[in-house]
Amino acid sequence: MPSEKLEINLGGLFKISRISVHNSRHCGDRCLIRFIGVKIFADTQLIAAAVHSKYVYDFDVTGDVYGKTISLKQERADYINVLEVQVWGSGPFDEADKFV
């Protein structure tokens, strides 16, 4: 089984400040365990990783992190079962407006 990936197109360039991931509950503990090892990226920049099993993950993003897409990538050969992904930030910005 190849590793799983979920990609969210934000529709523009945003400065990312927080990401919340709600784990699926339909498969019980299996869904919780499956999310361990998932890495979260803003475009190609790693911003978080799941190291414990939880129903809700809240990741505060520090620094100047900009992105047009948010990707959840499971590095292990396992599924990603999520109910909801919430992304907070400001924008959209023009490429020339990035303050990085």
Side-chain angles (χ1 to χ4, degrees):
M1 167 194 314
S3 59
E4 293 279 305
K5 179 180 177 180
L6 171 67
E7 189 168 285
I8 302 162
N9 183 336
L10 300 175
L13 180 66
F14 288 84
K15 183 176 182 184
I16 310 301
S17 60
R18 184 174 175 215
I19 296 177
S20 181
V21 179
H22 298 253
N23 229 331
S24 185
R25 295 175 188 250
H26 77 279
C27 57
D29 289 343
R30 288 186 317 229
C31 289
L32 295 177
I33 293 167
R34 286 179 182 158
F35 201 75
I36 296 172
V38 170
K39 294 182 180 176
I40 301 172
F41 296 85
D43 292 340
T44 59
Q45 183 177 355
L46 176 65
I47 55 175
V51 294
H52 301 290
S53 59
K54 302 186 205 180
Y55 280 111
V56 179
Y57 294 86
D58 288 311
F59 301 105
D60 290 321
V61 180
T62 58
D64 291 327
V65 176
Y66 291 83
K68 294 179 180 179
T69 61
I70 299 296
S71 300
L72 284 67
K73 297 179 183 177
Q74 175 54 275
E75 300 294 321
R76 300 180 297 117
D78 210 344
Y79 300 105
I80 295 177
N81 294 97
V82 295
L83 179 64
E84 183 175 353
V85 178
Q86 299 172 327
V87 181
W88 285 269
S90 57
F93 294 100
D94 187 84
E95 283 287 333
D97 291 337
K98 284 175 47 174
F99 302 105
V100 182

